[in-house]
């Protein structure tokens, strides 16, 4: 019967175990192994765990869309964030966010910024710009992230203006390190 939907479904107790393990950031395969160890007659598959996890996350969001959930999270945890939306379609085009603790570290170590964009690695196929700082002991720390709709100078300029407004009057960086992304280099200049 393994792999069939009906006998493979999870009981309420098994779902609670899975939820508790999710709170501990356990991997799906570890959740399945734990369920099989506790309940030897369990014939669930990894797909059952994935489906239960997805169902739990949707219930956790309490009917909010992914974007609404993201904005709620950013507000609740006091992130600095800014966004731009297309006024005609009301679609999000650009999003910048930074953790307040990261901004405090930036004020302590403002001398060097490392900036890079990764392309087409997320489900929306948007470039993700990561801004990283360097401490006096050569340790790196994340400062901010931004999803952009285009890889043009204007988008990168917007990201850097958001970073400047998030810095709250801290010293400007002396060195900015980028790869050879021409739009980013022009925006830095």
């Amino acid at each position: 019967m393994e792999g069939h939907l009906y006998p493979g479904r999870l009981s309420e107790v098994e779902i609670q175990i899975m939820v508790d393990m999710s709170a501990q950031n356990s991997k799906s395969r570890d959740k399945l192994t734990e369920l099989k160890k506790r309940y030897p007659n369990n014939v669930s598959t990894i797909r059952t765990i994935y489906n239960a996890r997805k169902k739990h996350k949707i219930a956790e969001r309490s009917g909010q869309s992914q974007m609404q959930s993201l904005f709620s999270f950013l507000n609740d945890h006091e992130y600095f964030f800014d966004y731009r939306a297309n006024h005609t379609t009301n679609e999000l085009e650009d999003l910048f966010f930074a953790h307040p603790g990261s901004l405090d570290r930036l004020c302590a170590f403002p001398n060097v910024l490392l900036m890079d964009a990764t392309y087409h690695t997320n489900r929306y196929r948007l470039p993700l710009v990561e801004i990283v700082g360097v401490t006096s002991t050569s340790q790196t720390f994340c400062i901010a992230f931004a999803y952009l709709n285009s890889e043009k100078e204007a988008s990168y300029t917007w990201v850097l203006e958001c970073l400047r407004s998030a810095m709250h009057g801290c010293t400007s960086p002396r060195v900015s390190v980028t790869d050879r992304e021409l739009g980013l280099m022009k925006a830095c200049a």
Side-chain angles (χ1 to χ4, degrees):
M1 295 298 288
E2 186 168 331
H4 291 277
L5 295 178
Y6 186 76
R9 71 190 188 284
L10 298 176
S11 68
E12 291 298 321
V13 174
E14 292 169 333
I15 290 172
Q16 189 56 46
I17 291 169
M18 192 214 54
V19 168
D20 293 341
M21 290 182 75
S22 292
Q24 299 170 356
N25 293 326
S26 297
K27 295 180 180 176
S28 295
R29 69 173 180 245
D30 296 335
K31 294 173 195 171
L32 182 61
T33 303
E34 183 65 25
L35 288 176
K36 298 244 184 217
K37 188 179 357 172
R38 287 190 189 186
Y39 305 101
N41 294 332
N42 184 311
V43 292
S44 299
T45 63
I46 195 71
R47 175 57 45 201
T48 308
I49 301 298
Y50 292 148
N51 291 342
R53 185 184 66 189
K54 183 177 181 181
K55 189 175 181 181
H56 175 70
K57 283 185 178 183
I58 289 171
E60 221 175 33
R61 287 198 321 243
S62 63
Q64 292 181 327
S65 70
Q66 289 178 339
M67 234 6 100
Q68 290 169 332
S69 180
L70 173 64
F71 280 109
S72 294
F73 177 85
L74 294 174
N75 273 324
D76 294 346
H77 292 85
E78 298 177 355
Y79 276 68
F80 176 88
F81 69 97
D82 196 3
Y83 66 93
R84 295 191 297 188
N86 185 328
H87 296 294
T88 57
T89 62
N90 202 25
E91 290 180 351
L92 184 73
E93 289 186 345
D94 301 318
L95 174 65
F96 174 91
F97 56 97
H99 189 274
S102 297
L103 295 174
D104 292 340
R105 276 188 225 98
L106 175 61
C107 287
F109 305 105
N111 295 327
V112 179
L113 287 183
L114 303 156
M115 294 178 276
D116 192 21
T118 58
Y119 304 102
H120 309 299
T121 58
N122 53 59
R123 82 188 311 180
Y124 302 108
R125 314 280 295 162
L126 296 173
L128 172 68
V129 177
E130 182 178 11
I131 303 173
V132 178
V134 180
T135 67
S136 57
T137 58
S138 299
Q139 299 291 316
T140 59
F141 62 96
C142 294
I143 298 170
F145 299 92
Y147 285 108
L148 302 177
N149 69 340
S150 68
E151 305 160 22
K152 296 192 167 116
E153 180 183 351
S155 295
Y156 290 121
T157 301
W158 177 79
V159 168
L160 293 175
E161 287 172 356
C162 289
L163 180 64
R164 181 183 296 153
S165 63
M167 290 175 67
H168 303 296
C170 293
T171 307
S172 294
R174 291 186 204 166
V175 178
S176 295
V177 180
T178 67
D179 58 358
R180 191 143 165 78
E181 175 63 40
L182 296 177
L184 183 56
M185 290 169 59
K186 288 178 182 177
C188 287

